[in-house]
Amino acid sequence: MKEKPSVSQLSGVKEIARRANVSIATVDRVIHNRKGVSEATKEKINGIIKEIGFQPNILASRLASKKTNRFAFLIPNANETDYWDASLKGIERAHQEIKQYGIQLDKYLFDLNDKATFTKNVNEIAKGDYDGIVMAPSFIEEATELAARCQSRKIPYVFINSDIPGKNNIAYIGPHLYQSGCQAGQLVRFGLKRGKVLIINISREIDSYHHLLRKEDGFRHYIEDSNTAANHIAIEKMDITNTTDESVSVALDTFLKNHTDIDAFFVTNSRVRSVATYLRTHASPHRILIGYDLSGENIKYLKDGTIDFLIGQKPEEQGYAGLMALFQHVVAGSTVIKNQYMPIDIITKENFEFYKN
Amino acid sequence: MKEKPSVSQLSGVKEIARRANVSIATVDRVIHNRKGVSEATKEKINGIIKEIGFQPNILASRLASKKTNRFAFLIPNANETDYWDASLKGIERAHQEIKQYGIQLDKYLFDLNDKATFTKNVNEIAKGDYDGIVMAPSFIEEATELAARCQSRKIPYVFINSDIPGKNNIAYIGPHLYQSGCQAGQLVRFGLKRGKVLIINISREIDSYHHLLRKEDGFRHYIEDSNTAANHIAIEKMDITNTTDESVSVALDTFLKNHTDIDAFFVTNSRVRSVATYLRTHASPHRILIGYDLSGENIKYLKDGTIDFLIGQKPEEQGYAGLMALFQHVVAGSTVIKNQYMPIDIITKENFEFYKN
DNA sequence: CCGTTTTTCGGGTACGTACCCGAAAAGGGC
DNA sequence: GCCCTTTTCGGGTACGTACCCGAAAAACGG
């Protein structure tokens, strides 16, 4: 460690003021384009700023301004899967890093099985006078309304985990659903030359725009496109709207009695564990099973070989990146990438322990 | 945005000074355990610090101290593959984030095919009086020597990409080589029920401790452990120490004439492109090909189906994490996790475009 | 007890930026 | 020209921490 050389004077408002023959205060006015500066001096100062490539010292800036920003987070609670728990951890990690800059953070959690809790939180947030919002728009209509409110109040907002196209969100951070389905298709194709695969959607509400269906699309198209006369894979599908283990078990049992020739299963979300539970207890020859997310249960079945592949969607990273995108936009004022697709991670028994959500 | 409430006085040196009935300067002495404070007041102040959970404001701290830290980076140049180019990008991204804190960074690049360039850089670095070093210890002996020098001068250092066990590095950031080989084994096993697989090491120097061999070990053990009478995979291997495309081609050609029954190839590093080039031009029925790293060429062959899987090692992330580990240790003074294994990423035609190095 | 050294401490200024307040300059109406 | 409003600007202080310098207090030696 050594003393910082006086090089620091080469940038900074002081230097700009010196070169422009004005005071620091005037330079400051130009930087924050506040009024009270003549056109002439403004131009001169802006010229110098560009010339020396002035970048304000965020440390000093934040320190002096004493500004506080309040952000809100709206995501599902971690009731049934630990997917959203990971997301929360990412949020908290990000908050830890930026709270020095005067960032306050309020978290609002809703129940995925209860729209009303979402609406209630939306109203709470509307009262809160926030400088930015990160949300998982699980309920499309309700989320759209919140987005509209933000829009009219000029509050920036970020979507994570699933997207609503055509909105004015400053960023979407989450998986590319269609491509993610393709990936699952490739894995099935690699392990199964010909045969039959069953797509399973397990979710309380499966309306026509549900994001699970976008994964199904990707999967379906991949398999169909890669089918040849010699190597042909047929596709079956089923939707299960009752999400308990038992009803999944019953539904599967019924289905498999009529379709004894299923070689592979693709479950479009983290509920793959329910399918694994069934397959494990109904010991049959091993069939390929692919699903989503690294919950504790899923990992258990990955370990014992019931599940072959899990596709990871980086919930922790999503939470982190969501808050950071807001921070970049609001505090640093820099432009953020609008669509930040998470990597489509392929997780197996062999690599899961090195996986970072 | 609103004014920060005066809550800020509840923490901070000023508050501590008030509670302890001493001056700010005295509190400061205790915090930096400088001498000149009586045992009694020191204890009192330390008590208050713990009580209110004082955390210094890094912004103000760095701003006031004008401390500069100089770090050095020692990694291979990006001559033949863009693997190390990605690493460099990660380093620069990290530097961008922390240079506000007064971090200077010097980069030293060596030639993987020329030990002398490594040694030369080591000597340069030794002269440089750095506060921390991040290095890729590609040449074990020479790196060990540098580590020893750092040790005696109490300069913290971090290994990235490959490890030398038993050293006093503050962190290792890179792949778990053995497990990474296992992963490749799992993929081969998934796509190939029985047959023969060829392991290929391509590197100028392959001494007995070379990290490529640790991948080979993992691969070998996975295949052997999962072999059954019904589903048996045999293993062949070859080392190629002349790394040009032509010599790889020649070596392969010779080998495959004597072994016509190879169903799959596992190349232990990014040179997989050389093998892909050969396989593509010598059109035979598709054989499974697995290798490492997302260089432009490798991606090309992934796209056209010559390569089935690439295993990613996150070079960009390694660079980023390497510098950050040093920063955490030196500036923030926090403890860093010693072994930070990178995820073992499985990359295919379907997910490569969302992959982040 | 006094002079001297050593220990212990507080005042004050600095870091780079933000922003208040009041002064100087410029413009405008008579 | 004078007075008044508006525009344009500079001085100065603050943010929370670091650290210099000198003063007060304690310890010591005789």
Side-chain angles (χ1 to χ4, degrees), chain B residues 70-74 91 95 104-108 125 128 130:
Chain B
R70 296 183 63 216
F71 293 151
F73 236 95
L74 178 59
I91 292 163
H95 186 210
Q104 284 176 32
L105 185 62
D106 291 344
K107 294 161 210 140
Y108 294 88
I125 292 173
Y130 288 98

Side-chain angles (χ1 to χ4, degrees), chain B residues 71 131-135 147 150-151 154-160 163-164 167-173 321-331 333-340:
Chain B
F71 293 151
D131 304 304
I133 297 173
V134 180
M135 67 175 121
C150 290
Q151 191 69 28
K154 295 194 197 299
I155 300 171
Y157 58 98
V158 172
F159 289 141
I160 66 171
D163 197 12
I164 305 179
K167 293 284 173 290
N168 239 318
N169 50 318
I170 60 168
Y172 162 64
I173 292 157
L323 186 48
M324 281 311 196
L326 220 44
F327 177 75
Q328 293 296 333
H329 180 85
V330 175
V331 176
S334 53
T335 52
V336 289
I337 301 163
K338 173 132 186 181
N339 285 308
Q340 299 185 41

